[in-house]
Amino acid sequence: QVQLVESGGGLVQAGDSLRLSCAASGVTFSSYAMGWFRQAPGKEREFVAAISKGGSITYYADSVKGRFTISRDNAKNTVYLQMNSLKPDDTAAYYCAAGRSSSSNVRSGISDYWGQGTQVTVSS
């Protein structure tokens, strides 16, 4: 019943931008903090960004601060990740996460639902 569907990934060159979207269904979207994680082959999943239920609080991994921006549109049941100045190290599968508790918990990997991922590949 609950579904998170990511989109917007693709193949780009270093320095380019992408905007990822995560559309949620089957939940009261405004009751969930949201986040983005990524995982490269052979690597552990890592936190990228999180946003509070109302959008007032955001968290970012140090590796993406100043380059990525997380936002949400509760009327559209969608969370976004604007990725600028992309680097080859950003190459990974990106996953959307939803947590009823808080954005702080989502940041720590404590989430109730996960999407299936969208691939981002950045070439040099």
Side-chain angles (χ1 to χ4, degrees):
Q1 188 75 356
V2 177
Q3 191 172 24
L4 303 177
V5 180
E6 302 96 334
S7 62
L11 173 62
V12 298
Q13 290 189 316
D16 285 350
S17 297
L18 282 174
R19 188 195 195 200
L20 306 184
S21 299
C22 172
S25 61
V27 298
T28 302
F29 186 69
S30 61
S31 295
Y32 287 82
M34 303 295 296
W36 289 94
F37 292 76
R38 65 188 183 186
Q39 187 169 24
K43 300 287 188 178
E44 291 187 350
R45 180 193 65 183
E46 67 172 334
F47 166 76
V48 176
I51 188 167
S52 61
K53 298 172 184 180
S56 297
I57 303 171
T58 58
Y59 302 96
Y60 296 95
D62 288 342
S63 59
V64 307
K65 284 181 180 177
R67 299 188 298 120
F68 291 11
T69 302
I70 188 171
S71 62
R72 66 190 295 160
D73 187 339
N74 285 352
K76 292 182 169 60
N77 288 0
T78 302
V79 64
Y80 306 95
L81 185 68
Q82 178 67 45
M83 305 186 295
N84 298 328
S85 302
L86 282 162
K87 305 174 181 179
D89 285 349
D90 296 319
T91 296
Y94 283 71
Y95 298 89
C96 176
R100 184 70 183 252
S101 57
S102 67
S103 53
S104 179
N105 279 349
V106 170
R107 175 188 59 184
S108 300
I110 303 172
S111 299
D112 298 304
Y113 306 104
W114 294 85
Q116 295 179 330
T118 185
Q119 179 67 37
V120 173
T121 302
V122 184
S123 63
S124 60

